[in-house]
């Protein structure tokens, strides 16, 4: 059992990372991360989520996923990580196509995705949850023909950027931003600002 301080540090470390070492994450590790999602709570215990794991070791499949992701809406002049900085693997979270807009199932997607990200952080891996991707991604991966729709894509890999959590009191407001040295700044509201 981890103590409260360790858990808080785990949450702090589970930031959105968009640049990685380029080192592949083995399929076995990706499967272990999905196992954390499998054990997570879900609405009515329906367990309708399905997962496609893609290691960078499968270069063709990894390129398919990477080419359809949108990486950082607030960084208008950045098109995503360069070769050598790309994810070491992906977990594609899927729903049966008929449930892709169901509010409870979308909550399930969020819970499962956060479990994957926390499990990744516990291994020292960075992650980026993508809800912004090209609509044809499911077709490219053969998911549409199987009756599934992509609900989330989680990019994963050894971290290769510095993330700075800072108070949301600068001129940047709540918009994340980068220093010229590449450090990525993430403004956060104070706890007292959130309590009502």
């Amino acid at each position: 059992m981890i103590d409260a301080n360790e858990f808080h540090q785990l949450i702090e470390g589970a930031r959105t990372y968009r640049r990685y070492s380029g080192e592949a994450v083995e399929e076995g590790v990706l499967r272990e991360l999905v196992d954390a999602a499998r054990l997570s709570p879900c609405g009515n215990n329906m367990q309708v989520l399905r997962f496609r794991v893609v290691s960078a070791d499968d270069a063709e499949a990894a390129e398919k996923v990477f080419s359809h992701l949108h990486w950082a809406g607030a960084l208008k002049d950045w098109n995503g990580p360069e070769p050598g900085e790309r994810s070491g693997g992906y977990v594609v979270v899927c729903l049966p196509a008929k449930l892709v807009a169901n509010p409870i199932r979308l909550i399930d997607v969020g819970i499962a995705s956060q479990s994957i990200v926390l499990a990744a952080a516990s291994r020292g891996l960075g992650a980026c949850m993508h809800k912004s991707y090209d609509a044809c991604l499911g077709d490219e991966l053969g998911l549409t023909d199987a009756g599934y729709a992509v609900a989330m894509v989680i990019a994963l890999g050894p971290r290769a950027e510095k993330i700075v959590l800072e108070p949301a009191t600068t001129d940047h407001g709540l918009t994340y931003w980068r220093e010229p040295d590449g450090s990525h700044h993430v403004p956060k509201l104070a706890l007292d600002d959130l309590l009502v």
Side-chain angles (χ1 to χ4, degrees):
M1 201 64 126
I2 64 174
D3 69 28
N5 287 333
E6 290 172 323
F7 185 71
H8 196 273
Q9 289 173 350
L10 180 64
I11 297 281
E12 262 187 53
R15 310 295 349 133
T16 296
Y17 286 83
R18 294 178 177 85
R19 289 180 295 176
Y20 307 90
S21 71
E23 186 180 328
V25 179
E26 294 176 6
E27 183 177 333
V29 172
L30 296 172
R31 289 172 60 93
E32 289 172 11
L33 300 179
V34 170
D35 201 40
R38 178 185 69 84
L39 296 171
S40 300
C42 61
N44 319 106
N45 199 35
M46 294 300 292
Q47 302 177 61
V48 297
L49 298 182
R50 297 296 181 266
F51 305 87
R52 169 70 58 87
V53 296
V54 177
S55 171
D57 284 334
D58 182 347
E60 184 179 340
E63 180 58 31
K64 272 185 192 175
V65 177
F66 176 81
S67 68
H68 292 293
L69 297 179
H70 306 242
W71 280 89
L75 302 176
K76 303 296 184 199
D77 59 345
W78 190 66
N79 294 321
E82 298 292 329
E85 298 179 329
R86 294 185 180 170
S87 316
Y90 303 92
V91 174
V92 181
V93 184
C94 307
L95 276 168
K98 63 184 179 185
L99 297 177
V100 76
N102 181 292
I104 293 174
R105 301 294 73 100
L106 292 175
I107 292 170
D108 292 346
V109 170
I111 293 169
S113 297
Q114 183 65 5
S115 294
I116 289 168
V117 169
L118 288 171
S122 76
R123 290 167 166 77
L125 297 173
C128 182
M129 288 188 261
H130 292 268
K131 190 63 180 150
S132 183
Y133 41 81
D134 297 332
C136 63
L137 178 58
D139 298 335
E140 291 280 334
L141 295 175
L143 299 168
T144 307
D145 289 344
Y148 293 103
V150 176
M152 182 78 74
V153 179
I154 305 168
L156 299 142
R159 304 165 178 172
E161 69 180 341
K162 179 182 177 186
I163 305 291
V164 180
L165 295 181
E166 62 182 30
T169 56
T170 69
D171 294 340
H172 296 279
L174 295 177
T175 304
Y176 54 83
W177 58 284
R178 284 216 177 122
E179 289 275 12
D181 69 1
S183 61
H184 189 83
H185 291 251
V186 182
K188 289 291 184 183
L189 294 170
L191 175 60
D192 287 342
D193 294 335
L194 302 179
L195 300 174
V196 293

